[in-house]
Amino acid sequence: MAHASSDDYVLEIENVGISYFTRLGEIPAVPDFSLKLKRGESYGLVGESGCGKTTVAMAIMNYLGLNGGIVKGRIRFEGRDMATMSDEELRAVRGSRISMVYQEPMSALNPSLTIGTQIKEVLVVHEGVSDAEAAERSIEMLRDVNMPDPERVMTRYPHQISGGQQQRVVIAMAMLSNPSLLLLDEPTTALDVTVEATVIDLIVQLREKFNTTLLYISHNLGLIVKVCDRVGVMYSGSMVEEGTIRQVFKETRHPYTFGLFDCIPTLGADKHSRKLQPIPGQVSLPHERPSGCSFGPRCNYFTQGVCDVGEPPLETVADSHHVRCRRIDEIRHVPSAAESEVAGGYGDPVLDVVNMSKFYEINDVSLASLVKGQSRHYVKANEKISFSAQRGRTVAIVGESGCGKSTFAKVLTGLETATEGEIMFEGRNIAVIPVHKRNQDLIRAMQMVFQNPDGTLNPSHSVGHCIGRVIKKFGIRTDSEGIREQVGEMLDVVRLPKAFSTRKPRQLSGGQKQRIAVARAFAGNPSMVIADEPVSALDVSVQAAVINLLNDVQKRYNTTLLFISHDLSVVRFLSDEIVVMYLGEIMEAGSSERIFMPPYHPYTEALLSAVPIPDPDIIQKRIRLEGEMPSALDPPEGCRFASRCPRYIGRICNDEVPPDRDAGNGHTIKCHIPLHELSEVEPIFNTRDDAV
């Protein structure tokens, strides 16, 4: 077999070491890393936070700051050593031949400049074109990234467009000069699942159109399957496994890669059939790497005298498949299974929501409104919401941003009051009782876990104080010794050492802080806990630990869990029932099993088609939703989903509110399409015929 020559590669990273120099000395962030990318290739780099993925990307850009540098090896781009380039040559390459798309688009956009000014600057600086030509090419590129009304977007400021549109703008800027290499660092982490799928489709299309080489950095293995040809698994600054998508995902050899897969909910599995297995411990700090294999302290297959003697080499186990492990021929990995368990039946209802609506009044003092006599308008955030939640069960509420999930949570917790309808909680209507008028027992009975624990943990107080305050306030224990004992018990429940009670939030990792938030929510033994996107910002291993924790603590206290999320993979695994919301209304509701198979509501079908599945053997039907969600200030008169529905059947969708069709066993679908037609829809997920 002929080997590729150096001229065939766009990027060559050869035994590169990257260090940062601090007052404590040299910190070896990446001790030894190698990678070669051909023109037009798409390569995924995966691993937990702290593994060095972003450091490698910044080194490729030669942008490591004043205290960082490459201490060994070399990085060659299109045959040239990046270290030998002058500052002027680097400026010419960055943004032109090498472009980067960052995780948070707002950090890459100047809030004080219009979108048009920022996009045109790329062409003016790198190609010296006129302002008129730059504007024309910028609008054309915005069309290429499927931006609606690009001429109008050019005049807007970043805060005036949605997060998905901001990311499209950043991608357009990155692609304007037709770069040879595009670096994407977690470009879809903060996006809705439908917007994420659209951005991924866009990246694939642009790669095919411009023959651009992609280096895609992510911890979402499902996205890697969709986008990439090859994948590298990085741990503690080194490559531990590398190969084609099929080799790494279906012929896995390294224990760390096995560990990543064990953290991910698989298609069709739920908490009753499979237990997620988080990787124990954390990534070692760069200056505290163990001798031998860096993964040794966390590896279930570690053998003293073998794994701790010198760093293992990256060995070839098959054509283009490389693994860094001394025991690969001895390892036989068996995924963990959940204990034999049957899904519980329905308990007594804890929550019963009946035709609940939440409208916000807006006064329009424009001349046109005054002339028409219509100065009052209403934002219909929630309209006629009805569902029930039984004791000890998990009900998930899913949908895109703006569908009304968080508004409902605010009404439920008393931060807002309902406009109409009832919310019966343990036999009492709480729809119009604001939180400051709720008694202590009612507040204790309903607690919340937020997406970002940093926003809810007081940085000035210890972990013990944060949990102990809840225990004392709700009268669980009132004496100092009893409170300390109860705090220790709650730390045991969330599997943290009791010594953590004296630590401040800044001394904890993101996953540890989320465990403290869970401990605090359950400390008062509530009847219901509302979890609003509690795992969306976490690494896969930490996410698995928090999911297991929520499940275990819920079982222990028989608590009802209301789980708000847009990640349908997690929802399928954790929930017993699912409520699908769109523009303030419930489109579909039923058991998790029924929601994931036909008949689907067309909106549910589109959401499922956007779920990234980390399995190359799964064929997934793709349904792209066109356009933006209508405004809640002026929702459609008929079906709320009509303007974006891929199964639109005519004027009836625009003019008449669809009925709630009963699909049996508590499964309802709000749609004009008859159930027998929805039942004949092809399933979203199928297995390849040649799958082994």
Side-chain angles (χ1 to χ4, degrees):
M1 180 178 174
H3 293 280
S5 68
S6 181
D7 294 338
D8 294 328
Y9 294 108
V10 170
L11 178 70
E12 297 171 272
I13 304 177
E14 300 173 352
N15 303 116
V16 161
I18 305 168
S19 293
Y20 289 93
F21 298 89
T22 69
R23 287 177 296 177
L24 299 177
E26 181 180 348
I27 306 296
V30 177
D32 189 0
F33 185 84
S34 298
L35 175 65
K36 292 185 177 182
L37 299 181
K38 296 179 181 179
R39 188 169 304 280
E41 182 179 13
S42 180
Y43 190 97
L45 196 58
V46 303
E48 297 167 282
S49 296
C51 284
K53 306 184 301 295
T54 299
T55 300
V56 168
M58 300 308 283
I60 293 171
M61 299 283 283
N62 204 344
Y63 196 69
L64 292 168
L66 296 177
N67 68 327
I70 297 172
V71 295
K72 72 168 189 173
R74 63 178 181 173
I75 298 176
R76 298 208 306 172
F77 172 68
E78 294 185 329
R80 290 197 59 190
D81 190 340
M82 297 284 287
T84 65
M85 292 185 184
S86 65
D87 290 343
E88 185 176 343
E89 288 173 320
L90 284 172
R91 282 193 295 269
V93 167
R94 294 177 188 145
S96 175
R97 305 302 300 146
I98 305 177
S99 292
M100 190 163 183
V101 177
Y102 297 90
Q103 179 172 349
E104 176 50 59
M106 275 302 287
S107 65
L109 295 172
N110 190 326
S112 64
L113 298 177
T114 64
I115 297 297
T117 300
Q118 297 183 66
I119 296 182
K120 290 187 294 183
E121 184 181 32
V122 176
L123 294 171
V124 172
V125 170
H126 289 291
E127 299 185 23
V129 303
S130 66
D131 187 78
E133 182 182 346
E136 182 179 346
R137 287 176 56 184
S138 296
I139 291 172
E140 182 181 351
M141 180 55 72
L142 286 176
R143 287 198 183 98
D144 282 342
V145 299
N146 303 316
M147 179 71 75
D149 197 2
E151 291 84 359
R152 180 185 60 83
V153 170
M154 290 279 286
T155 66
R156 294 295 184 97
Y157 288 88
H159 71 275
Q160 294 177 309
I161 60 177
S162 69
Q165 289 175 332
Q166 291 169 5
Q167 197 63 286
R168 292 186 207 185
V169 167
V170 172
I171 292 173
M173 293 173 66
M175 296 299 297
L176 258 180
S177 291
N178 190 15
S180 295
L181 177 63
L182 180 62
L183 310 175
L184 301 116
D185 190 1
E186 299 278 13
T188 62
T189 298
L191 302 181
D192 278 334
V193 64
T194 51
V195 179
E196 175 184 76
T198 300
V199 171
I200 292 305
D201 288 346
L202 170 64
I203 291 169
V204 172
Q205 291 167 10
L206 293 176
R207 171 200 171 194
E208 293 173 352
K209 180 175 180 177
F210 296 103
N211 197 32
T212 305
T213 302
L214 302 182
L215 178 59
Y216 197 103
I217 296 171
S218 180
H219 64 255
N220 188 327
L221 298 175
L223 294 183
I224 295 297
V225 170
K226 284 188 173 184
V227 177
C228 301
D229 308 311
R230 290 195 298 142
V231 60
V233 181
M234 196 171 179
Y235 184 80
S236 192
S238 298
M239 192 80 79
V240 295
E241 185 161 8
E242 181 184 35
T244 64
I245 290 293
R246 173 155 291 277
Q247 286 171 333
V248 173
F249 280 73
K250 307 303 290 186
E251 301 165 17
T252 314
R253 302 295 296 273
H254 197 281
Y256 179 59
T257 315
F258 282 126
L260 291 179
F261 290 144
D262 284 347
C263 294
I264 304 170
T266 53
L267 186 63
D270 61 22
K271 59 188 176 184
H272 304 296
S273 62
R274 179 175 173 237
K275 188 174 181 64
L276 301 182
Q277 190 63 48
I279 303 172
Q282 298 178 25
V283 180
S284 301
L285 294 173
H287 59 287
E288 296 177 351
R289 287 190 182 93
S291 59
C293 177
S294 297
F295 186 59
R298 306 174 70 190
C299 183
N300 293 328
Y301 305 97
F302 177 84
T303 300
Q304 195 169 5
V306 177
C307 301
D308 54 356
V309 181
E311 181 168 351
L314 192 66
E315 297 182 356
T316 301
V317 295
D319 184 32
S320 74
H321 192 185
H322 313 288
V323 180
R324 191 185 298 274
C325 179
R326 296 189 189 278
R327 300 195 62 217
I328 51 176
D329 294 329
E330 306 167 38
I331 293 173
R332 296 295 179 265
H333 182 73
V334 179
S336 60
E339 297 178 6
S340 179
E341 179 183 337
V342 178
Y346 288 90
D348 59 301
V350 172
L351 181 72
D352 193 14
V353 184
V354 183
N355 290 326
M356 193 284 288
S357 298
K358 175 60 182 177
F359 298 164
Y360 295 94
E361 184 177 321
I362 294 178
N363 290 320
D364 187 351
V365 295
S366 66
L367 181 59
S369 295
L370 294 174
V371 170
K372 293 179 181 179
Q374 298 177 340
S375 60
R376 290 185 179 180
H377 299 277
Y378 294 92
V379 174
K380 298 181 178 181
N382 293 147
E383 189 165 8
K384 296 183 178 178
I385 301 294
S386 296
F387 72 92
S388 297
Q390 282 69 39
R391 190 173 304 280
R393 307 279 284 183
T394 299
V395 178
I397 301 180
V398 302
E400 298 168 284
S401 296
C403 74
K405 306 186 301 293
S406 294
T407 298
F408 174 73
K410 289 178 182 178
V411 175
L412 197 58
T413 53
L415 298 176
E416 302 277 0
T417 54
T419 306
E420 298 174 355
E422 295 182 342
I423 300 177
M424 302 301 296
F425 178 65
E426 295 194 317
R428 183 178 182 182
N429 185 8
I430 62 171
V432 292
I433 306 178
V435 67
H436 62 274
K437 291 186 178 180
R438 296 185 179 185
N439 61 35
Q440 184 166 289
D441 287 339
L442 187 54
I443 293 174
R444 178 200 60 78
M446 186 181 294
Q447 291 292 300
M448 194 159 184
V449 178
F450 296 90
Q451 178 175 358
N452 183 7
D454 285 314
T456 59
L457 296 176
N458 191 324
S460 302
H461 292 301
S462 68
V463 163
H465 181 274
C466 292
I467 300 173
R469 184 172 180 269
V470 175
I471 295 168
K472 182 178 181 180
K473 179 177 178 62
F474 295 135
I476 306 300
R477 300 289 291 269
T478 54
D479 59 299
S480 298
E481 184 61 32
I483 291 172
R484 277 196 297 272
E485 288 180 5
Q486 191 69 20
V487 167
E489 287 182 19
M490 290 309 303
L491 288 173
D492 283 340
V493 167
V494 297
R495 299 183 182 87
L496 287 175
K498 292 181 180 179
F500 272 42
S501 64
T502 60
R503 293 193 180 186
K504 300 287 180 66
R506 67 176 182 273
Q507 296 173 292
L508 307 178
S509 68
Q512 290 169 341
K513 283 185 280 193
Q514 196 62 290
R515 286 173 183 245
I516 297 301
V518 171
R520 188 176 61 177
F522 282 88
N525 193 16
S527 301
M528 171 175 281
V529 169
I530 304 160
D532 191 357
E533 300 278 11
V535 298
S536 62
L538 304 178
D539 275 338
V540 289
S541 183
V542 181
Q543 175 180 280
V546 174
I547 290 172
N548 285 343
L549 175 64
L550 283 170
N551 191 32
D552 293 344
V553 177
Q554 179 195 23
K555 288 179 189 175
R556 176 170 179 158
Y557 292 100
N558 199 30
T559 306
T560 302
L561 182 63
L562 195 65
F563 190 80
I564 298 173
S565 180
H566 66 257
D567 188 336
L568 286 169
S569 296
V570 173
V571 164
R572 173 68 180 95
F573 182 85
L574 188 62
S575 64
D576 299 299
E577 287 94 36
I578 298 176
V579 174
V580 182
M581 289 185 66
Y582 181 82
L583 201 59
E585 287 188 349
I586 293 178
M587 297 288 106
E588 183 170 4
S591 68
S592 298
E593 184 178 357
R594 285 180 168 269
I595 294 290
F596 273 73
M597 64 174 62
Y600 307 117
H601 187 283
Y603 180 56
T604 308
E605 185 182 15
L607 289 179
L608 293 175
S609 78
V611 177
I613 303 298
D615 188 343
D617 284 338
I618 299 296
I619 299 174
Q620 186 174 4
K621 184 168 61 174
R622 180 69 182 98
I623 300 171
R624 175 181 289 171
L625 293 182
E626 302 293 342
E628 300 292 326
M629 186 184 295
S631 170
L633 186 62
D634 185 26
E637 292 183 4
C639 176
R640 295 281 171 96
F641 188 54
S643 62
R644 302 173 72 198
C645 182
R647 299 191 182 278
Y648 175 82
I649 59 175
R651 290 178 60 89
I652 188 174
C653 297
N654 296 328
D655 300 337
E656 297 183 22
V657 176
D660 285 313
R661 300 188 183 276
D662 184 0
N665 294 316
H667 184 195
T668 60
I669 298 175
K670 193 181 188 70
C671 187
H672 287 295
I673 302 173
L675 279 177
H676 72 271
E677 292 185 23
L678 292 176
S679 298
E680 294 171 358
V681 168
E682 181 186 355
I684 290 293
F685 308 108
N686 287 289
T687 305
R688 292 170 54 96
D689 293 335
D690 59 346
V692 178

Coordinates of all heavy atoms in Angstrom, one line a residue, residues 282 453-454 457-459 461-464 466-467 491 494 496-517 519 542:
Q282 N -11.0 11.7 38.2 CA -10.9 12.8 37.3 C -9.6 12.8 36.6 O -8.7 12.1 36.9 CB -11.0 14.1 38.1 CG -12.3 14.3 38.9 CD -12.3 15.6 39.7 OE1 -11.6 16.6 39.3 NE2 -13.1 15.7 40.7
P453 N -25.1 25.4 38.6 CA -25.0 25.5 40.1 C -24.3 26.7 40.6 O -24.5 27.1 41.7 CB -24.3 24.2 40.5 CG -23.5 23.8 39.2 CD -24.3 24.3 38.1
D454 N -23.4 27.3 39.8 CA -22.7 28.5 40.3 C -23.6 29.6 40.6 O -23.3 30.5 41.4 CB -21.7 28.9 39.2 CG -20.4 28.0 39.1 OD1 -19.9 27.7 40.2 OD2 -20.0 27.6 38.0
L457 N -25.2 28.6 44.3 CA -24.4 28.3 45.5 C -23.7 29.6 45.9 O -23.0 30.2 45.1 CB -23.4 27.2 45.2 CG -24.0 25.8 44.9 CD1 -22.9 24.9 44.5 CD2 -24.8 25.3 46.1
N458 N -23.9 30.0 47.1 CA -23.2 31.2 47.6 C -21.7 31.0 47.7 O -21.3 30.2 48.5 CB -23.8 31.6 49.0 CG -23.4 33.0 49.4 OD1 -22.3 33.4 49.2 ND2 -24.3 33.7 50.1
P459 N -20.9 31.8 47.0 CA -19.5 31.5 47.0 C -18.8 31.8 48.4 O -17.7 31.4 48.6 CB -18.9 32.4 45.9 CG -19.9 33.5 45.8 CD -21.3 32.9 46.1
H461 N -20.1 31.0 51.3 CA -20.4 30.0 52.3 C -19.9 28.6 52.0 O -19.8 28.3 50.8 CB -22.0 29.9 52.6 CG -22.5 31.2 53.2 ND1 -22.1 31.6 54.4 CD2 -23.5 32.0 52.7 CE1 -22.8 32.7 54.7 NE2 -23.6 33.0 53.7
S462 N -19.7 27.8 53.0 CA -19.3 26.4 52.8 C -20.4 25.5 52.2 O -21.6 25.9 52.3 CB -18.7 25.8 54.1 OG -19.8 25.6 55.0
V463 N -20.0 24.4 51.7 CA -21.0 23.4 51.2 C -21.9 23.0 52.4 O -23.1 22.9 52.2 CB -20.2 22.2 50.6 CG1 -21.2 21.0 50.5 CG2 -19.6 22.5 49.3
G464 N -21.3 22.8 53.6 CA -22.1 22.4 54.7 C -23.2 23.4 55.1 O -24.3 23.0 55.5
C466 N -24.6 25.6 53.0 CA -25.6 25.6 51.9 C -26.6 24.5 52.1 O -27.8 24.7 52.0 CB -25.0 25.4 50.6 SG -23.9 26.8 50.0
I467 N -26.2 23.3 52.5 CA -27.1 22.2 52.7 C -27.8 22.3 54.1 O -29.0 22.1 54.3 CB -26.4 20.8 52.6 CG1 -25.7 20.7 51.2 CG2 -27.3 19.7 52.9 CD1 -24.9 19.4 51.1
L491 N -24.4 14.2 52.0 CA -23.1 14.1 51.2 C -22.9 12.6 50.9 O -22.4 12.3 49.8 CB -21.9 14.7 52.0 CG -21.9 16.2 52.1 CD1 -20.8 16.6 53.0 CD2 -21.8 16.9 50.7
V494 N -25.2 11.7 47.9 CA -24.7 12.2 46.6 C -23.2 11.8 46.3 O -22.6 12.3 45.4 CB -24.8 13.7 46.4 CG1 -26.3 14.1 46.5 CG2 -24.0 14.5 47.5
L496 N -20.3 12.1 48.0 CA -19.2 13.0 48.2 C -18.6 12.8 49.6 O -19.4 12.5 50.5 CB -19.6 14.4 48.0 CG -19.9 14.9 46.5 CD1 -20.4 16.3 46.5 CD2 -18.6 14.8 45.7
P497 N -17.3 12.9 49.8 CA -16.8 12.7 51.1 C -17.4 13.8 52.1 O -17.6 14.9 51.8 CB -15.3 13.0 50.9 CG -15.0 12.8 49.5 CD -16.3 13.2 48.8
K498 N -17.5 13.3 53.4 CA -18.1 14.3 54.4 C -17.2 15.5 54.6 O -17.6 16.5 55.0 CB -18.3 13.5 55.7 CG -19.4 12.5 55.6 CD -19.6 11.7 56.9 CE -20.8 10.7 56.8 NZ -21.0 10.0 58.0
A499 N -15.9 15.3 54.3 CA -14.9 16.4 54.5 C -15.2 17.6 53.5 O -14.8 18.7 53.8 CB -13.5 15.9 54.2
F500 N -16.0 17.3 52.5 CA -16.4 18.4 51.6 C -17.3 19.4 52.2 O -17.5 20.5 51.7 CB -17.1 17.8 50.4 CG -16.2 17.4 49.3 CD1 -15.0 16.7 49.5 CD2 -16.5 17.6 47.9 CE1 -14.2 16.3 48.5 CE2 -15.7 17.2 46.9 CZ -14.5 16.6 47.2
S501 N -17.8 19.2 53.4 CA -18.7 20.1 54.1 C -18.1 21.4 54.4 O -18.7 22.5 54.5 CB -19.3 19.5 55.4 OG -18.3 19.2 56.3
T502 N -16.7 21.4 54.5 CA -16.0 22.6 54.9 C -15.5 23.4 53.6 O -15.0 24.5 53.8 CB -14.8 22.3 55.8 OG1 -13.9 21.4 55.1 CG2 -15.3 21.7 57.1
R503 N -15.7 22.8 52.5 CA -15.2 23.4 51.3 C -16.1 24.5 50.7 O -17.3 24.5 50.9 CB -14.9 22.4 50.2 CG -13.8 21.4 50.5 CD -13.5 20.6 49.2 NE -12.4 19.6 49.5 CZ -11.8 18.9 48.6 NH1 -12.2 19.0 47.3 NH2 -10.9 18.0 48.9
K504 N -15.5 25.5 50.0 CA -16.3 26.5 49.3 C -16.6 26.0 47.9 O -15.8 25.2 47.4 CB -15.5 27.8 49.3 CG -15.2 28.4 50.7 CD -16.4 28.9 51.4 CE -16.1 29.5 52.8 NZ -15.2 30.7 52.7
P505 N -17.6 26.6 47.3 CA -17.9 26.2 45.9 C -16.8 26.3 44.9 O -16.6 25.5 44.0 CB -19.1 27.1 45.5 CG -19.8 27.4 46.8 CD -18.7 27.4 47.8
R506 N -15.9 27.3 45.1 CA -14.8 27.5 44.2 C -13.8 26.3 44.2 O -13.0 26.2 43.3 CB -14.1 28.8 44.5 CG -13.4 28.9 45.8 CD -12.6 30.2 46.0 NE -11.9 30.2 47.3 CZ -12.4 30.6 48.4 NH1 -13.6 31.0 48.5 NH2 -11.7 30.6 49.5
Q507 N -13.8 25.5 45.3 CA -12.9 24.4 45.5 C -13.4 23.1 44.9 O -12.8 22.1 45.0 CB -12.6 24.2 46.9 CG -11.9 25.4 47.6 CD -11.8 25.2 49.1 OE1 -12.7 25.2 49.9 NE2 -10.5 25.0 49.6
L508 N -14.6 23.2 44.2 CA -15.2 22.0 43.6 C -15.2 22.1 42.1 O -15.3 23.1 41.5 CB -16.7 21.9 44.2 CG -16.9 21.9 45.7 CD1 -18.4 21.8 46.0 CD2 -16.1 20.8 46.4
S509 N -15.3 20.9 41.5 CA -15.5 20.8 40.0 C -16.9 21.1 39.7 O -17.8 21.1 40.6 CB -15.0 19.4 39.5 OG -15.9 18.4 40.0
G510 N -17.2 21.2 38.4 CA -18.6 21.5 38.0 C -19.5 20.3 38.4 O -20.6 20.6 38.8
G511 N -19.1 19.1 38.2 CA -19.9 17.9 38.6 C -20.1 17.9 40.0 O -21.2 17.5 40.5
Q512 N -19.1 18.2 40.9 CA -19.3 18.2 42.3 C -20.2 19.2 42.8 O -21.1 19.0 43.6 CB -17.9 18.4 43.0 CG -17.0 17.2 42.8 CD -15.5 17.4 43.2 OE1 -15.1 18.6 43.3 NE2 -14.8 16.4 43.5
K513 N -20.2 20.4 42.1 CA -21.1 21.5 42.5 C -22.6 21.1 42.2 O -23.5 21.4 42.9 CB -20.7 22.8 41.8 CG -19.5 23.5 42.4 CD -19.2 24.8 41.8 CE -18.5 24.7 40.5 NZ -17.9 25.9 40.1
Q514 N -22.7 20.4 41.0 CA -24.1 19.9 40.7 C -24.6 18.9 41.7 O -25.8 18.8 42.0 CB -24.1 19.4 39.2 CG -25.5 19.3 38.6 CD -26.2 20.6 38.5 OE1 -26.6 21.2 39.5 NE2 -26.4 21.1 37.3
R515 N -23.7 18.1 42.2 CA -24.1 17.1 43.2 C -24.5 17.8 44.5 O -25.5 17.4 45.1 CB -22.9 16.2 43.5 CG -22.6 15.1 42.5 CD -21.3 14.4 42.8 NE -21.0 13.4 41.7 CZ -21.0 12.1 41.9 NH1 -21.3 11.6 43.0 NH2 -20.7 11.3 40.8
I516 N -23.8 18.9 44.8 CA -24.2 19.7 46.0 C -25.6 20.3 45.8 O -26.5 20.3 46.7 CB -23.2 20.8 46.3 CG1 -21.8 20.2 46.6 CG2 -23.7 21.7 47.4 CD1 -21.8 19.3 47.8
A517 N -25.9 20.7 44.6 CA -27.2 21.3 44.2 C -28.3 20.2 44.4 O -29.4 20.5 44.9 CB -27.2 21.9 42.8
A519 N -28.1 17.6 46.4 CA -28.2 17.3 47.8 C -29.0 18.3 48.5 O -29.9 18.0 49.3 CB -26.8 17.2 48.4
V542 N -19.3 13.0 33.8 CA -19.9 13.7 34.9 C -21.4 13.7 34.7 O -22.2 13.5 35.6 CB -19.4 15.2 35.0 CG1 -20.1 15.9 36.1 CG2 -17.9 15.2 35.1

